[in-house]
Amino acid sequence: MNLTPTQVLVALGILAGWFLLWRIRSWTRRRTLEASRASSRLLSLFGRVVFTAALIVGVQWIVIVAAPGNHGLLLAVLGVPALFAAHGLTKALTVVTVDVRGSRR
């Protein structure tokens, strides 16, 4: 079978096009999969946060209703979760700069 240079170039172009399409589809699939994982992680995190908040509020409610005269217990039940929340918010909202000295560019 005798092939002209034009036919060989067309065949190579078709093969290269198929390869590029295959790579683009795999990149798209990977991005879609990563996006779905990120959204499920966010939903899972949201669920855990809501559950933990409901648990803390429930314990606080029980202590406030059951022992209104015990000021030390009331302070502990309301203060400890506030300290954890303040720590998390402070850590999340604090901007830390990184000083890199002596690095080569």
Side-chain angles (χ1 to χ4, degrees):
M1 170 165 53
N2 293 332
L3 295 174
T4 65
T6 305
Q7 291 172 333
V8 172
L9 286 175
V10 167
L12 289 176
I14 290 172
L15 287 175
W18 280 344
F19 179 74
L20 285 175
L21 283 175
W22 175 69
R23 291 297 298 164
I24 289 170
R25 286 182 65 194
S26 67
W27 290 333
T28 306
R29 268 191 241 120
R30 186 178 310 131
R31 272 188 261 136
T32 304
L33 188 62
E34 288 172 2
S36 69
R37 282 183 188 152
S39 65
S40 68
R41 276 188 233 130
L42 180 63
L43 187 60
S44 175
L45 177 64
F46 179 73
R48 284 183 280 175
V49 167
V50 168
F51 175 76
T52 306
L55 184 68
I56 291 170
V57 168
V59 169
Q60 289 174 340
W61 182 267
I62 290 169
V63 168
I64 289 170
V65 170
N70 192 345
H71 297 295
L73 182 62
L74 190 62
L75 181 65
V77 166
L78 294 175
V80 171
L83 286 174
F84 282 113
H87 172 71
L89 282 173
T90 303
K91 195 172 181 180
L93 298 175
T94 302
V95 177
V96 178
T97 60
V98 177
D99 229 2
V100 180
R101 294 183 184 167
S103 64
R104 290 188 251 175
R105 294 183 182 195

